[in-house]
Amino acid sequence: MSEKRHEIDELGEFGLINRITKNFTLTNSTSLTGIGDDAAVIAAGNDNLLVSTDMLIEGIHFDLSYVPLQHLGYKAIAVNVSDIAAMNGKAEQVTVSLALSNRFSLEAVETLYNGIKAACENYKVDLIGGDTTSSVSGLVISVTVIGRAPAEKIAYRSGAKANDIICVTGDLGAAFLGLQVLEREKQVFLADPNMQPNIEKYNYLVGRQLKPEARTDIVFDLEDAKVIPTSMIDVSDGLASELLHLSNHSGVGVRIYEDKVPVDHQAYETAIEFNLDPVTCALNGGEDYELLFTIRKEDQEKINKHPDIHMIGYMHDRKSENVMITKQNNFVPLKAQGWNHFKEN
Amino acid sequence: MSEKRHEIDELGEFGLINRITKNFTLTNSTSLTGIGDDAAVIAAGNDNLLVSTDMLIEGIHFDLSYVPLQHLGYKAIAVNVSDIAAMNGKAEQVTVSLALSNRFSLEAVETLYNGIKAACENYKVDLIGGDTTSSVSGLVISVTVIGRAPAEKIAYRSGAKANDIICVTGDLGAAFLGLQVLEREKQVFLADPNMQPNIEKYNYLVGRQLKPEARTDIVFDLEDAKVIPTSMIDVSDGLASELLHLSNHSGVGVRIYEDKVPVDHQAYETAIEFNLDPVTCALNGGEDYELLFTIRKEDQEKINKHPDIHMIGYMHDRKSENVMITKQNNFVPLKAQGWNHFKEN
C-alpha cells in the first residue's frame, strides 16, 4: 500500500478546517454553536457568550520592518473584537498569549502591550489572562475574545433569506492597498536605505492596514435602530469571500451591484496607480474588518439614513447564482480569492 | 539620556507578566477575576465561567524527535483542562489554534487532531473553535479552555488559612524524570542512529511526560466528599513553586514534610540512576499536572481514606517561613526552581 503524503496547501485553510473538524461533535448542553461562524456560542444564564480566537504569526501576518509594535498590539485585539461584532455581540474579555524570541527586549514587549491596552480601553474589554513564553524564532500572538449577547440578538452566517437587503459598512479595499504601499516602500528602502519612505499621501490606506478598527459602533447603532441582522460576518478575507460564506451558510444566492460597492477615493486613486481595478481590490483585498450583513426588507428604512451603512444588493433564492452586476449590466460570478495564508507560502 | 535595552530573561516569565499587567484593570462587571490564578472567572448566570489559555511552541515546550504528535495533541488539551480542575471547576469547551510550517503533511495534522479528539472525549470537552495558519518555522499550538463552576465552589490560590492541611494528588517528579530519560535516549540515538531506544523500564515516567492526565477525577471526588478546598493550584512548575504561589496569594506560610512527598518507586530509582535526589525532582521537576490544595482541618477525615490524596503538611501564620522539614528534622527553605521557559534559552 502506498502512503502518499498530502500537502496542507492542497486543501487550503477552510478545507483543512473542514477535514479536521468533521469528526468532532458537540456533547455538552452548554455548547450551542461550535466551529463555522465568526464566534462559537455558549449558554450562560440569560445571555449567551461568544468566543473567538485568532493567531498572528510574524512573517505570515505581519512584517515588523514596517508594522510598529504598538499598532500590532492594537490590531491583535481589534480583529478579535471584530469577530464578536460580526455576531452582533459585545466583546467583554480577552486573553493574550505571546511567544517571543530573545530578539525582543522588555521595552519592545511593553510597546506591544501599550497597543493592546489602548485597544482594550477603546473597545471596553478586559485583559483577563494569557500565557507568555519564549519562541525559537519570531513573534506569535494568540488572542481569544469572549463577548456577550442575548440569544435572540445573535446574528449567524446562516440566517439570510431571499429578498433580504445586503449591507456593508465603511469602505473596502483600503487595507489591501495600504499593504501594497507599505510593501513597495519596503522594497525602495531595501534597494537604497537612504531613501525616506513616502507614505504621507497614502495615510488613510496605511492607517487602515496598520490600525484597523472593529465596527463595534455599528452593533450599538443597529440596537438603537431596533434592527437585528438576519445574517452577519466581518470582512477579513475580502467582500467576495464573505458574501459566498453568507450564501453558503444561508442557502440563498447573492446579487450585488458594482456601483454600490463602497471604495474610498484615496483607495480608488491608489488602485489605479498600482494598475489594479478598485472594485477588485474591494472584492478580494481583505483585512477591512467592516461588517457585512443582511436585513429584512421591512427594516430597510430604519437604517437607510445611516451615513456609514451601504446597501449593495440583495439575496435571492438560487443559491448557486452569486453575482456582481457591473456598471455595464453584465453578470460576473463572485469568486473567493481572499487571503489564504497557506497558499501564500 | 541613555536608553538601556532590558532583556526579558532578566525578569523571568512571572516578572514579565507582573510588569506588563500591572497597568491593566478590570472594568466590566462580568470580569470577576483576571490574571493571577489558574483561570480567570467570568459571571455567567447561576454559574461562573472559568477561562485559561496555554501556548506550546516546538523547540521550547516539546521536541518532535521523541514526542509523538498524537500524544502532543492529547497533552495540549490535558494541561488546559488541568487549569480548570485547579479552580475546582469542570472544563466544557476548548478552542485550538495551530500554526504549521510546510514540513507538516495533512496526515501529520490529522494525527495531532486524533490526540486532541481523544482528550476531548476523555475529558468531555467540546472543540468549539480555533484558527489554523501557516508558520515560518515549526509548530505552535495555542489552546483556550472554558470551564464552569458554581461561584461558591471555586477554589482560588488565595483562600488558604493557618492550620489548613496541605494535600497533593498522585505522585511527583515522574514527568521530569521521564523527560531526562527521553533526552538521554535522544543523545544516544544521535551518537549512533542504529541504537534502539531503551525506555521500556521507564514506561511509567515516559508516559507521565508524554501523556499527562488532568486530575478531573479529584474534582468529582471532592464534590462527593462535600469538601471545597480553601485554595488550589495544579503542579505544572514543580511542587515548591506551586506551594510558594499558595503562600504568596494566601498570605500564610507552608510547612511540608519530606517523608510525606509522594514519589513513585520507578521515579525514585531513576532519580538515583541519574544522580538526582528524588524529592528534589518532586519539588522542582514540574509537568506533573497533579492538584495541590488546602483543606480545613475539620474536612480532613472526609478524604483521608482517599488512596490518591496525600496530606503533606500544613499552613501556618508566618507567611515568609516556607519550609520543608527533612527526615533528619532540619528545616529547609522552599525555593522556586521550576521551569522557566525564558531562562532555558
Side-chain angles (χ1 to χ4, degrees), chain A residues 4-8 11 13 16-17 19-20 23-28 30-31 34-35 40 42-45 49 51 53-55 57-61 92-93 95 97-100 102-107 109-110 113 116-117 124-137 140 142 144 146 148 341-342 345, chain B residues 4-8 11 13 16-17 19-20 23-28 30-31 34-35 40 42-45 49 51 53-55 57-61 92-93 95 97-100 102-107 109-110 113 116-117 124-137 140 142 144 146 148 341-342 345:
Chain A
K4 186 177 176 312
R5 175 190 156 112
H6 292 86
E7 302 303 326
I8 292 166
L11 283 171
E13 182 180 353
L16 178 65
I17 292 171
R19 172 84 170 246
I20 288 166
N23 298 319
F24 284 83
T25 51
L26 301 181
T27 58
N28 289 314
T30 54
S31 304
I35 292 160
I42 294 175
L49 291 195
V51 181
T53 190
D54 262 308
M55 200 187 251
I57 312 273
E58 184 179 354
I60 305 290
H61 300 94
E92 293 190 332
Q93 287 91 17
T95 65
S97 292
L98 282 191
L100 301 154
N102 54 16
R103 176 162 65 89
F104 293 91
S105 66
L106 175 59
E107 288 73 15
V109 179
E110 288 186 317
Y113 269 91
I116 290 171
K117 184 159 186 277
K124 294 184 174 52
V125 299
D126 294 326
L127 178 71
I128 57 160
D131 192 12
T132 312
T133 183
S134 61
S135 85
V136 180
S137 69
V140 178
S142 180
T144 299
I146 296 169
R148 193 177 285 256
H341 289 300
F342 282 113
N345 278 350
Chain B
K4 185 177 178 311
R5 174 190 158 111
H6 293 85
E7 301 304 326
I8 292 166
L11 283 172
E13 181 179 355
L16 178 64
I17 292 170
R19 172 85 171 244
I20 289 166
N23 298 319
F24 284 83
T25 50
L26 301 180
T27 59
N28 288 313
T30 54
S31 304
I35 291 160
I42 294 176
L49 291 195
V51 181
T53 191
D54 262 309
M55 200 188 251
I57 312 272
E58 184 179 353
I60 305 290
H61 300 93
E92 293 190 333
Q93 287 90 18
T95 66
S97 292
L98 281 191
L100 299 154
N102 55 16
R103 176 162 64 89
F104 293 91
S105 67
L106 175 60
E107 288 73 15
V109 178
E110 288 186 317
Y113 269 91
I116 290 170
K117 184 160 187 278
K124 295 186 174 51
V125 299
D126 294 326
L127 178 71
I128 58 160
D131 191 14
T132 312
T133 183
S134 60
S135 85
V136 180
S137 70
V140 178
S142 180
T144 299
I146 297 168
R148 193 177 285 258
H341 290 301
F342 282 113
N345 276 350

